């Protein structure tokens, strides 16, 4: 974190200070972070410690106790801090009640140092085995070993013999340290980790054929040096590991010229699969025909008025005009659908196969940070989140490049300990998955598979291993389910102990006072962690200051520390035979951002931005994959498939790769269209042929630099009108609003004044944009460089040399984690552009759509990746009420978008016209509900009045109606053909379109108008993911009837239409001159409405065999209908005609 005294930077509310550090003489000195950064290259680097101020729940440790090594200290410490509070590192003896053995796990058990007065853990290798430097096997920790070597002339404290080997790096063979990590190096740690690209005088000449700055040539001309996670260029200008002696891996010897790898045949990682012309050509032709027919029909309708019922005609024409407009907005972006395919074999050959540029075959793929967000353990069960974490840790991606961050926005100890249990169980689950190639790698889904689990398994010990792991998983589930009671019992026990202590203290202080006069001691009922200290997050007892859901400190706990750079194979002894199986686990970090009263925390968007900043400081992966807590990785190679697009030619212009959402636990008939296949398989594939699909909130692989608000390296301006091809627009400077301006990554000759280059950015403007963290700001160009495609062909623009990312990354230290605590503080975003132009965008319930829109508006493209095996799977609400509330939330966000500056009508010229139409439809579709409700009442009004929307059912009207219906059906069949969905799925979508349109969409429009006009804020609660009352029925939620006001409009429509059909029949039957044409027209449209509302009516009836309250409602409706029929059959007295004088009462 930057120093507050640095000129041009505002002062911070708090300063993170590392107070003491032990020297060789045993004394302690004061050290700040800047002092540490300048001296971290010394051998004493491992000996500094973080001073934790004494608090009631955290007393100072004995200063005579030696500290653990830096990495062990970070992984075994919980870091907390925030606004007006010091950053504290709380050393935890254990994270959970059960014992942990994995060496990467926080609180892992190990042997204690045998030096008197020191209870630190001895040094260990990557497998957790003790490293004993002396042949006498005297157990000694790393700090005491350093003291023995320096101050005791290298004599072992146990046997009093001289150490034969005093090189600490040789002893710790399990922890691979990067080059330059120790010794007396002239390059400081900060320079090694976060070296910035230096502009040189040669940059003027480093232009590509297009005139743009050519970063590739600049690299070769300037021998650019990069630190954190990247290769160091050799002094003689060569790269790679070739040497005169055949290659010794040190980079000395014969170099590689640029032409050596640019003149290779290009092998693409992805390819487009165009829709066959026999399908797409008739599809486009039918769209054109239907547009023409609709225009002719509406013209005919306007000219031929129904003078007998002009009000009925007017209402119907207005609705039909809007429906035609809405259909056009939905249909135009579907003109260019495409499919895509990836080649994982080529990806492996380019990035993970030994070659001239990468002799060792280490992975050259960029870093990937996975975000998992959760907020409430009661509505989002910790077991579900834990299974998602396990599927991520077991994914097929280089372990050293993968990091997982869990955002707990509720700050609950239950979520924290559930994640710790998941990290402990991963020690068994992940190697098991790698050994036997398990799919899916979510244990709950895997053990619940109904297919044969032994299919295609050839290893003889699979059955035994599966049985063992299944037993361990069952015990794991029991522990997770028992955590609430365990935490409550533990907290009660510690609270009782504290009360007893307080009473004893009170009695000692008041010995002369009668015990009856003593006031009872009141101690706040805290929530206690497994190590016997207070939980810094939300306590179980509500209303406690500094420990409630909206008021608690920021928390970061490294559950699994970063793995070693080299593969670490298991052994044959133990729980499983893990010979030749890599047992390393990815980095796993628990994050709970700080929350304080008076701050707008911006819900999920704010939590995601906090993760972006924390991950940039800790791991800085060039790409970010965000998942909801109930969406797990179903295809272990999904990340690789997404990376194929990012690393392919032109991939540097992609802001994100969106995967389709697939769901489990949906009823077989998909009554409420939960699968949403029409959107994910039709609309999204069609958008992929334009600038790319919209961002839908989960299952999305982001380019980090695009989230930072930068423009793509290359983009094209598009016209905003139909007449661009005939009347080209004169190029002029654009004056865009502030939120549409972008930061340019490269200098360009024709930069607009409104756009800013990273190299032109004034240092005084950096805090305004990114905040006052120097570490965060310096990570930006590194993330940009790591995210570039490989420069292995002349057609690659803006690439990076092969082998650049094969070097190990630096280990985490306490100062880095303390910096991460600072960037997740509640005050950090004040007076910055986080949420307005950087990161997830604030101000809308559907922050995902707005965030994707902003990227497309800057010229970025996105890609839709449909894998053969589903990439991710999640859950969806199958209960009618929950489903309506979900749709209400989406529709409300769309209304907010329409009334905001994110309206597609205000899009920049960088967005294609059809893409703009698609985003315009996103904001307009809820307004269709107004016209839809009116149109659903029109058949009933027609039957009640005896009139129809047209004067008579003539041939012209019927031909138009038939043509429009046939073209709609043919378009649906062709969409089914090129998208792969079924006819039933298409029909379910049509049904729920009307159900949602007459209920949730109308409420969304009203709520949106209230927010715009009256400023009334809209609050939504999380959809509960728990099951129904019947634990034996998988679909118990489907039959639960939970009343909501959203049901009133559809129920009213059904009631009115049923009564109208009865009245219409009775009127026509007993009329002197029956008008059957008007009856048929009205009844036809009434049945059309009722057919679409059938799933809604079925949901109201609840489970078969039960009698819910709604049955009595339906009984009343039937009684009313029979009464009306009786009035029609038995006219009032004095009426001689059978039905001629009938009039609706």
């Amino acid at each position: 974190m930057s120093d507050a005294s640095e000129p041009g930077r505002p002062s911070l509310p708090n300063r993170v200070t590392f107070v003491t550090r032990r020297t060789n003489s045993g004394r302690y000195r004061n050290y700040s972070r800047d002092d540490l950064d300048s001296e971290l290259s010394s051998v004493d680097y491992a000996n500094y410690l973080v001073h934790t101020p004494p608090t009631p729940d955290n007393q100072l440790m004995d200063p005579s106790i030696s500290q653990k090594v830096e990495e062990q200290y970070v992984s075994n410490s919980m870091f907390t801090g925030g606004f007006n509070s010091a950053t504290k590192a709380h050393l935890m003896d254990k994270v959970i009640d059960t014992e942990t053995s994995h060496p990467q796990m926080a609180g892992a058990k190990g042997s204690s140092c045998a030096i008197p007065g020191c209870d630190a853990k001895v040094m260990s290798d990557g497998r957790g085995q003790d490293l004993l430097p002396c042949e006498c096997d005297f157990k000694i920790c790393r700090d005491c070993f350093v003291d023995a070597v320096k101050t005791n002339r290298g004599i072992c404290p146990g046997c009093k013999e001289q150490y034969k080997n005093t090189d600490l790096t040789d002893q710790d063979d399990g922890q691979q340290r990067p080059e330059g990590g120790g010794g007396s190096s002239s390059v400081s740690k900060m320079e090694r980790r976060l070296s910035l690209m230096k502009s040189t005088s040669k940059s003027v000449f480093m232009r590509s054929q297009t005139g743009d700055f050519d970063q590739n040539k600049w690299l070769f001309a300037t021998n650019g040096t990069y630190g954190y996670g990247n290769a160091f260029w050799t002094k003689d200008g060569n790269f790679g590991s070739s040497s005169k002696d055949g290659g010794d891996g040190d980079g000395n010897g014969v170099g590689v010229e640029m032409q050596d790898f640019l003149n290779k045949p290009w092998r693409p990682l992805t390819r487009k699969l165009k829709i066959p012309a026999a399908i797409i050509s008739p599809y486009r032709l039918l769209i054109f025909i239907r547009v023409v027919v609709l225009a002719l029909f509406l013209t005919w309708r306007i000219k031929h008025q129904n003078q007998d019922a002009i009000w009925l005609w007017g209402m119907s024409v207005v609705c039909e005009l809007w429906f035609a407009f809405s259909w056009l907005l939905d249909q135009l972006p579907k003109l260019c659908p495409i499919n895509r395919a990836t080649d994982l074999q080529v990806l492996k050959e380019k990035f993970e196969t030994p070659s001239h540029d990468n002799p060792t075959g280490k992975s050259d793929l960029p870093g990937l940070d996975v975000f998992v967000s959760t907020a409430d353990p009661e509505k989002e069960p910790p077991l579900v989140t834990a299974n998602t974490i396990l599927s991520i840790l077991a994914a097929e991606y280089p372990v050293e490049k993968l990091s997982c961050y869990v955002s707990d926005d509720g700050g609950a100890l239950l979520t924290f300990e559930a994640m710790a249990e998941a990290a402990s169980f991963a020690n068994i689950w992940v190697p098991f998955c790698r050994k036997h190639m398990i799919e899916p790698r979510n244990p709950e889904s895997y053990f619940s598979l109904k297919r044969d689990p032994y299919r295609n398994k050839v290893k003889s010990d699979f059955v035994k291993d599966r049985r063992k792991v299944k037993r361990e998983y069952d015990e794991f589930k029991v522990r997770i389910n028992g955590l609430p009671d365990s935490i409550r019992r533990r907290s009660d026990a510690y609270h009782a102990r504290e009360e007893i202590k307080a009473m004893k203290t009170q009695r000692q202080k008041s010995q002369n006072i009668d015990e009856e006069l003593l006031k009872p001691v009141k101690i706040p009922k805290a929530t206690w962690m497994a190590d016997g200290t207070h939980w810094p997050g939300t306590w179980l007892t509500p209303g406690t200051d500094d420990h409630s859901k909206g008021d608690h400190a920021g928390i970061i706990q490294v559950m699994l520390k970063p793995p070693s750079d080299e593969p670490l194979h298991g052994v044959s002894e133990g729980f499983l035979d893990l010979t030749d199986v890599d047992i390393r686990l990815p980095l796993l970090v628990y994050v709970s951002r700080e929350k304080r009263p008076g701050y707008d925390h911006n819900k999920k968007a704010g939590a995601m931005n906090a993760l972006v900043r924390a991950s940039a400081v800790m791991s800085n992966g060039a790409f970010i994959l965000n998942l909801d807590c109930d969406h797990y990785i179903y295809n272990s190679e999904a990340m690789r498939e997404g990376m194929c697009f990012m690393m392919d030619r032109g991939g540097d212009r992609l802001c994100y790769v969106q995967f389709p959402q697939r769901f489990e636990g949906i009823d077989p008939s998909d009554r409420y269209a939960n699968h949403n296949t029409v959107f994910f398989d039709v609309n999204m594939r069609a958008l992929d042929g334009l600038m790319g699909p919209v961002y839908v909130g989960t299952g999305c692989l982001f380019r980090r630099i695009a989230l930072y608000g930068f423009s793509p390296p290359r983009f094209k301006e598009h016209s905003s009108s139909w007449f661009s091809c005939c009347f080209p627009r004169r190029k002029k400077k654009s004056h865009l609003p502030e939120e549409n301006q972008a930061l340019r990554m490269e200098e360009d000759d024709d930069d607009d004044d409104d756009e800013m280059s990273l190299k032109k950015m004034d240092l005084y403007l950096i805090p305004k944009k990114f905040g006052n963290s120097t570490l965060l700001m310096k990570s930006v160009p590194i993330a940009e460089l790591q995210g570039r495609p490989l420069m292995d062909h002349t057609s690659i623009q803006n690439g990076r040399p092969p082998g650049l990312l094969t070097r190990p990354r630096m280990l985490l230290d306490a100062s880095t984690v303390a910096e991460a605590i600072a960037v997740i503080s509640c005050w950090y975003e004040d007076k910055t552009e986080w949420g307005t132009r950087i990161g997830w965008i604030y101000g809308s319930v559907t922050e995902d759509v707005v965030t994707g829109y902003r990227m497309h508006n800057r010229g970025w493209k996105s890609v839709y990746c449909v894998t053969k095996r589903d990439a991710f799977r999640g859950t969806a609400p199958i209960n009618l009420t929950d489903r309506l509330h979900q749709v209400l939330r989406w529709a409300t966000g769309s209304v907010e978008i329409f009334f905001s500056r994110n309206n597609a009508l205000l899009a920049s010229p960088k967005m294609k016209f059809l893409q703009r139409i698609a985003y315009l439809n996103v904001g307009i579709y809820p307004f269709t509900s107004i016209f839809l409700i009116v149109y659903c009442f029109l058949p009933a009004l027609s039957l009640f009045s005896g009139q129809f929307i047209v004067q008579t059912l003539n041939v012209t009207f019927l031909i138009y109606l038939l043509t429009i219906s046939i073209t709609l059906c043919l378009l649906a069949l062709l969409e089914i053909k090129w998208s792969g969905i079924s006819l039933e799925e298409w029909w379910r979508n049509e049904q729920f379109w009307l159900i949602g349109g007459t209920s949730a969409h109308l409420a969304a429009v009203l709520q949106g108008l209230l927010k715009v006009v009256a400023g009334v804020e809209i609050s939504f609660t999380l959809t509960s993911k728990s099951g129904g009352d019947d634990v034996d029925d998988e679909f118990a939620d489907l039959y639960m009837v939970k009343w909501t006001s959203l049901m009133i409009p559809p129920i009213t429509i059904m009631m009115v239409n049923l009564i109208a059909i009865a009245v219409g029949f009775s009127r026509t039957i007993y009329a002197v001159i029956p008008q059957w044409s008007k009856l048929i027209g009205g009844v036809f449209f009434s049945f059309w409405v009722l057919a679409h509302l059938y799933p809604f009516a079925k949901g109201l009836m609840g489970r078969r065999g039960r009698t819910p309250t709604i049955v009595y409602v339906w009984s009343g409706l039937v009684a009313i209908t029979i009464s009306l029929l009786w009035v029609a059959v038995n006219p009032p007295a004095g009426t001689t005609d059978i039905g001629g004088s009938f009039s609706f009462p």
Side-chain angles (χ1 to χ4, degrees):
M1 190 170 72
S2 60
D3 197 337
S5 63
E6 193 169 337
R9 181 165 295 134
S11 60
L12 301 182
N14 65 315
R15 172 184 172 87
V16 178
T17 304
F18 298 90
V19 182
T20 58
R21 174 167 174 254
R22 192 179 68 175
T23 62
N24 292 332
S25 61
R27 294 179 300 168
Y28 286 77
R29 296 177 48 190
N30 289 337
Y31 264 78
S32 67
R33 179 200 163 83
D34 296 332
D35 297 326
L36 289 172
D37 286 336
S38 63
E39 294 192 17
L40 286 183
S41 58
S42 65
V43 179
D44 293 336
Y45 155 70
N47 292 331
Y48 87 91
L49 58 92
V50 178
H51 171 71
T52 306
T55 59
D57 61 316
N58 192 5
Q59 298 296 322
L60 275 174
M61 297 174 60
D62 188 347
S64 64
I65 299 178
S66 300
Q67 299 300 312
K68 297 183 178 182
V69 295
E70 180 74 3
E71 189 182 36
Q72 292 174 336
Y73 178 83
V74 170
S75 63
N76 289 330
S77 300
M78 174 185 291
F79 287 77
T80 61
F83 184 68
N84 286 338
S85 61
T87 298
K88 300 185 296 183
H90 170 60
L91 192 64
M92 303 185 67
D93 294 332
K94 60 179 180 177
V95 181
I96 51 179
D97 292 326
T98 55
E99 184 174 342
T100 58
S101 58
H102 195 278
Q104 291 180 241
M105 175 70 183
K109 299 297 180 182
S111 302
S112 297
C113 180
I115 298 294
C118 178
D119 61 354
K121 300 297 185 292
V122 302
M123 297 176 289
S124 61
D125 59 12
R127 297 181 180 86
Q129 302 296 325
D130 293 343
L131 289 176
L132 306 177
C134 185
E135 294 180 353
C136 69
D137 293 340
F138 182 81
K139 295 183 178 181
I140 187 171
C141 68
R142 188 186 185 102
D143 290 345
C144 294
F145 177 73
V146 172
D147 288 343
V149 171
K150 289 186 175 182
T151 63
N152 200 26
R153 295 172 299 174
I155 296 177
C156 173
C159 63
K160 309 302 180 182
E161 297 290 335
Q162 190 84 18
Y163 282 120
K164 296 183 179 179
N165 187 0
T166 59
D167 188 357
L168 198 60
T169 57
D170 292 341
Q171 295 291 338
D172 194 3
D173 58 355
Q175 301 293 331
Q176 300 293 331
R177 298 189 176 272
E179 183 176 302
S184 57
S185 173
S186 61
V187 183
S188 69
K189 181 186 176 187
M190 180 70 75
E191 292 173 344
R192 293 198 314 271
R193 282 187 66 183
L194 302 170
S195 57
L196 290 169
M197 293 176 286
K198 310 293 184 182
S199 58
T200 65
S201 58
K202 297 181 181 181
S203 62
V204 179
F205 306 101
M206 301 304 158
R207 302 284 171 178
S208 63
Q209 297 178 357
T210 61
D212 296 332
F213 181 84
D214 195 332
Q215 186 73 20
N216 307 330
K217 295 182 180 179
W218 178 84
L219 287 171
F220 279 91
T222 61
N223 300 338
T225 302
Y226 303 89
Y228 187 76
N230 300 307
F232 285 87
W233 287 72
T234 55
K235 297 181 180 180
D236 57 0
N238 304 326
F239 68 93
S241 303
S242 300
S243 65
K244 296 179 182 180
D245 300 328
D248 55 1
D250 58 2
N252 299 324
V254 180
V256 182
E257 297 295 334
M258 197 171 184
Q259 294 301 122
D260 291 344
F261 64 88
L262 292 184
N263 294 331
K264 293 180 180 179
W266 170 251
R267 297 187 64 189
L269 295 171
T270 64
R271 51 197 171 92
K272 292 182 180 180
L273 304 176
K274 294 186 177 181
I275 308 298
I279 298 176
I280 195 64
S281 296
Y283 182 73
R284 292 170 178 168
L285 179 61
L286 279 173
I287 293 176
F288 175 76
I289 292 174
R290 195 164 195 266
V291 169
V292 173
V293 173
L294 280 175
L296 295 175
F297 172 69
L298 293 173
T299 304
W300 182 87
R301 289 279 283 121
I302 294 173
K303 290 182 178 180
H304 295 76
Q305 301 179 4
N306 184 2
Q307 298 298 336
D308 297 336
I310 194 69
W311 58 275
L312 198 61
W313 168 84
M315 290 167 51
S316 63
V317 168
V318 171
C319 293
E320 289 163 1
L321 287 171
W322 179 265
F323 292 153
F325 172 70
S326 178
W327 175 83
L328 200 61
L329 291 182
D330 181 66
Q331 200 65 46
L332 284 179
K334 298 180 183 178
L335 290 172
C336 307
I338 61 171
N339 293 318
R340 299 181 187 269
T342 59
D343 195 333
L344 295 178
Q345 184 61 33
V346 175
L347 182 76
K348 184 175 181 62
E349 292 176 2
K350 283 191 174 186
F351 292 89
E352 297 177 330
T353 302
S355 62
H356 187 271
D357 305 315
N358 184 14
T360 61
K362 295 178 63 176
S363 177
D364 201 16
L365 288 170
L368 176 61
D369 295 338
V370 185
F371 294 170
V372 179
S373 58
T374 182
D376 190 345
E378 294 182 359
K379 294 186 177 181
E380 297 170 330
L383 182 61
V384 175
T385 307
N387 275 277
T388 300
I389 300 301
L390 291 170
S391 70
I392 295 171
L393 299 179
E396 286 294 334
Y397 200 80
V399 182
E400 66 276 9
K401 304 293 182 72
L402 184 62
S403 304
C404 179
Y405 294 83
V406 182
S407 171
D408 178 18
D409 224 26
L413 179 59
L414 175 57
T415 304
F416 175 84
E417 294 199 1
M419 296 308 98
E421 289 284 359
S424 178
F425 179 69
N427 185 31
I428 300 172
W429 173 252
V430 174
F432 170 71
C433 291
R434 292 173 181 163
K435 178 181 179 180
H436 297 288
M437 303 303 294
I438 300 300
E439 293 286 354
R441 300 192 175 180
N442 176 325
E444 182 68 25
S445 298
Y446 172 70
F447 290 121
S448 300
L449 288 176
K450 296 180 180 179
R451 58 178 173 83
D452 183 11
Y454 308 108
R455 184 178 180 184
N456 298 328
K457 302 302 180 184
V458 296
K459 293 188 176 181
S460 58
D461 57 350
F462 172 71
V463 176
K464 180 183 64 175
D465 289 352
R466 186 179 186 275
R467 188 181 300 114
K468 290 181 178 179
V469 175
K470 178 64 167 61
R471 184 175 62 252
E472 289 293 324
Y473 177 66
D474 290 339
E475 295 177 359
F476 166 75
K477 286 201 298 183
V478 171
R479 290 197 301 270
I480 294 288
N481 295 332
L483 280 178
D485 291 336
S486 174
I487 294 173
R488 190 174 296 106
R489 288 195 304 268
R490 180 202 310 152
S491 299
D492 291 342
Y494 279 113
H495 180 69
R497 186 193 66 176
E498 293 298 311
E499 284 185 336
I500 294 174
K501 286 183 179 180
M503 292 173 62
K504 289 182 179 179
T505 304
Q506 186 185 39
R507 289 172 181 173
Q508 292 175 357
K509 293 181 178 178
S510 307
Q511 295 179 356
N512 299 327
I513 301 176
D514 189 0
E515 292 186 6
E516 297 180 355
L517 300 178
L518 293 176
K519 295 182 179 180
V521 179
K522 293 184 179 180
I523 299 177
K525 192 172 183 180
T527 301
W528 295 76
M529 294 187 290
D531 66 338
T533 57
H534 287 177
W535 167 243
T538 303
W539 286 357
L540 297 176
T541 304
T544 309
D545 293 339
D546 200 41
H547 292 286
S548 60
K549 283 190 175 181
D551 185 10
H552 62 80
I555 307 170
I556 292 181
Q557 171 71 59
V558 180
M559 293 288 186
L560 293 171
K561 65 182 180 182
S564 59
D565 187 60
E566 297 294 336
L568 185 64
H569 298 295
V571 295
S572 58
E573 298 86 5
F575 186 75
L576 301 176
D577 184 1
L578 299 177
T579 307
D580 299 330
V581 178
D582 191 356
I583 63 172
R584 295 176 300 164
L585 299 176
L587 171 68
L588 176 61
V589 183
Y590 170 89
V591 179
S592 181
R593 59 179 174 145
E594 182 192 20
K595 287 188 173 182
R596 298 298 179 191
Y599 284 86
D600 186 0
H601 303 293
N602 297 295
K603 301 175 183 176
K604 180 181 176 181
M608 298 304 293
N609 284 338
L611 285 186
V612 171
R613 297 190 295 271
S615 63
V617 171
M618 297 181 68
S619 57
N620 198 28
F623 297 96
I624 294 172
L625 173 66
N626 86 289
L627 296 172
D628 288 343
C629 65
D630 61 329
H631 275 71
Y632 68 92
I633 298 179
Y634 188 75
N635 181 356
S636 61
E637 294 191 333
M639 299 176 181
R640 291 178 175 270
E641 299 218 26
M643 207 58 68
C644 286
F645 293 101
M646 292 295 191
M647 294 291 101
D648 203 8
R649 179 169 49 191
D652 57 331
R653 293 185 296 171
L654 297 181
C655 56
Y656 60 81
V657 176
Q658 178 65 60
F659 295 86
Q661 292 186 19
R662 307 301 187 197
F663 302 102
E664 293 179 336
I666 306 299
D667 54 297
S669 63
D670 193 11
R671 180 185 293 178
Y672 306 124
N674 290 100
H675 286 299
N676 212 358
T677 52
V678 172
F679 174 77
F680 287 113
D681 290 326
V682 178
N683 297 67
M684 298 287 272
R685 289 177 193 261
L687 289 176
D688 200 14
L690 304 177
M691 293 183 69
V694 298
Y695 167 43
V696 294
T698 183
C700 189
L701 179 66
F702 282 100
R703 183 179 299 275
R704 181 182 287 270
I705 206 68
L707 280 172
Y708 286 158
F710 291 84
S711 285
R714 303 173 304 282
F715 60 84
K716 185 188 300 182
E717 288 196 359
H718 304 278
S719 172
S720 58
S721 67
W722 290 96
F723 311 105
S724 59
C725 54
C726 303
F727 305 99
R729 205 165 51 91
R730 172 188 265 176
K731 186 176 181 180
K732 60 181 180 180
K733 284 188 177 182
S734 59
H735 298 281
L736 303 176
E738 178 69 16
E739 64 270 14
N740 288 342
Q741 298 174 15
L743 305 176
R744 298 295 304 281
M745 280 306 300
E746 300 182 17
E747 292 180 303
D748 209 347
D749 293 336
D750 55 354
D751 277 348
D752 292 340
D753 291 341
D754 288 332
E755 297 184 349
M756 190 174 300
S757 169
L758 179 64
K759 298 178 183 179
K760 295 177 182 177
M761 286 175 59
D762 197 324
L763 293 178
Y764 294 94
L765 297 178
I766 293 178
K768 177 186 175 184
K769 299 181 183 300
F770 289 92
N772 44 24
S773 172
T774 304
L775 202 59
L776 172 62
M777 190 58 212
K778 288 184 177 181
S779 69
V780 173
I782 297 174
E784 190 274 336
L785 174 67
Q786 292 181 347
R788 297 182 183 181
L790 275 186
M791 188 179 59
D792 57 351
H793 196 263
T794 53
S795 61
I796 298 295
Q797 301 182 49
N798 194 39
R800 59 175 170 87
L804 197 64
L805 304 182
T806 57
R807 302 293 296 181
R809 60 183 177 185
M810 297 298 296
L811 302 178
L812 281 177
D813 56 33
S815 60
T816 301
V817 184
E819 183 85 357
I821 283 287
V823 298
I824 65 171
S825 299
C826 60
W827 52 264
Y828 187 84
E829 293 184 354
D830 289 351
K831 299 180 181 179
T832 68
E833 294 185 352
W834 285 97
T836 57
R837 186 168 68 182
I838 300 175
W840 269 258
I841 306 302
Y842 302 153
S844 175
V845 178
T846 52
E847 72 287 335
D848 47 2
V849 177
V850 176
T851 302
Y853 166 80
R854 290 288 185 86
M855 296 181 185
H856 285 139
N857 205 31
R858 297 187 183 105
W860 290 96
K861 294 184 178 181
S862 59
V863 162
Y864 197 52
C865 180
V866 182
T867 57
K868 293 182 179 179
R869 178 184 176 86
D870 293 345
F872 310 102
R873 283 192 177 180
T875 59
I878 61 175
N879 180 263
L880 176 59
T881 303
D882 294 338
R883 176 72 164 131
L884 290 178
H885 284 161
Q886 182 187 57
V887 174
L888 173 63
R889 184 170 62 252
W890 296 341
T892 303
S894 296
V895 176
E896 291 175 343
I897 292 172
F898 181 79
F899 287 112
S900 70
R901 295 182 179 180
N902 299 307
N903 192 314
L905 294 174
L906 306 176
S908 72
K910 301 173 185 176
M911 185 179 292
K912 289 184 178 181
F913 176 73
L914 291 181
Q915 188 79 18
R916 187 177 307 193
I917 293 295
Y919 274 113
L920 182 62
N921 186 44
V922 170
I924 281 182
Y925 82 88
F927 295 94
T928 304
S929 61
I930 300 174
F931 304 92
L932 186 59
I933 286 182
V934 173
Y935 211 74
C936 287
F937 280 112
L938 285 181
L941 295 175
S942 175
L943 292 171
F944 284 142
S945 63
Q947 301 296 329
F948 195 51
I949 57 177
V950 294
Q951 193 80 26
T952 58
L953 290 177
N954 54 27
V955 177
T956 305
F957 176 78
L958 293 176
I959 290 177
Y960 276 130
L961 190 62
L962 185 63
T963 305
I964 291 173
S965 301
I966 290 176
T967 52
L968 178 64
C969 294
L970 291 176
L971 283 173
L973 291 176
L974 289 176
E975 283 184 358
I976 290 171
K977 188 70 174 177
W978 61 255
S979 65
I981 66 175
S982 65
L983 183 61
E984 182 183 7
E985 290 172 330
W986 179 87
W987 172 239
R988 289 298 186 199
N989 180 81
E990 291 295 309
Q991 287 179 312
F992 198 78
W993 168 76
L994 192 140
I995 295 172
T998 56
S999 57
H1001 294 177
L1002 180 63
V1005 173
L1006 296 177
Q1007 289 185 352
L1009 292 175
L1010 284 175
K1011 182 178 181 180
V1012 173
V1013 176
V1016 178
E1017 288 296 329
I1018 305 165
S1019 61
F1020 292 96
T1021 58
L1022 288 173
T1023 301
S1024 177
K1025 297 175 177 64
S1026 60
D1029 296 334
D1030 191 350
V1031 295
D1032 297 328
D1033 192 345
E1034 182 181 359
F1035 309 116
D1037 274 354
L1038 184 67
Y1039 308 110
M1040 293 177 62
V1041 180
K1042 297 185 290 186
W1043 174 255
T1044 174
S1045 57
L1046 297 177
M1047 296 179 178
I1048 294 177
I1051 289 177
T1052 306
I1053 291 173
M1054 287 191 301
M1055 289 173 54
V1056 172
N1057 276 275
L1058 286 172
I1059 296 173
I1061 291 174
V1063 171
F1065 266 110
S1066 61
R1067 180 193 301 276
T1068 305
I1069 291 173
Y1070 295 102
V1072 178
I1073 305 176
Q1075 296 182 358
W1076 292 101
S1077 61
K1078 294 182 180 180
L1079 174 66
I1080 292 174
V1083 171
F1084 174 80
F1085 284 108
S1086 287
F1087 273 117
W1088 177 84
V1089 172
L1090 294 175
H1092 281 75
L1093 290 175
Y1094 173 73
F1096 178 81
K1098 197 173 181 180
L1100 290 179
M1101 297 304 297
R1103 186 191 297 272
R1104 297 186 188 127
R1106 296 186 181 180
T1107 309
T1109 307
I1110 197 65
V1111 171
Y1112 300 103
V1113 177
W1114 281 105
S1115 300
L1117 295 180
V1118 173
I1120 294 174
T1121 304
I1122 295 175
S1123 300
L1124 290 172
L1125 285 174
W1126 176 258
V1127 171
V1129 172
N1130 188 12
T1135 304
T1136 56
D1137 297 333
I1138 296 177
S1141 62
F1142 172 82
S1143 61
F1144 184 73

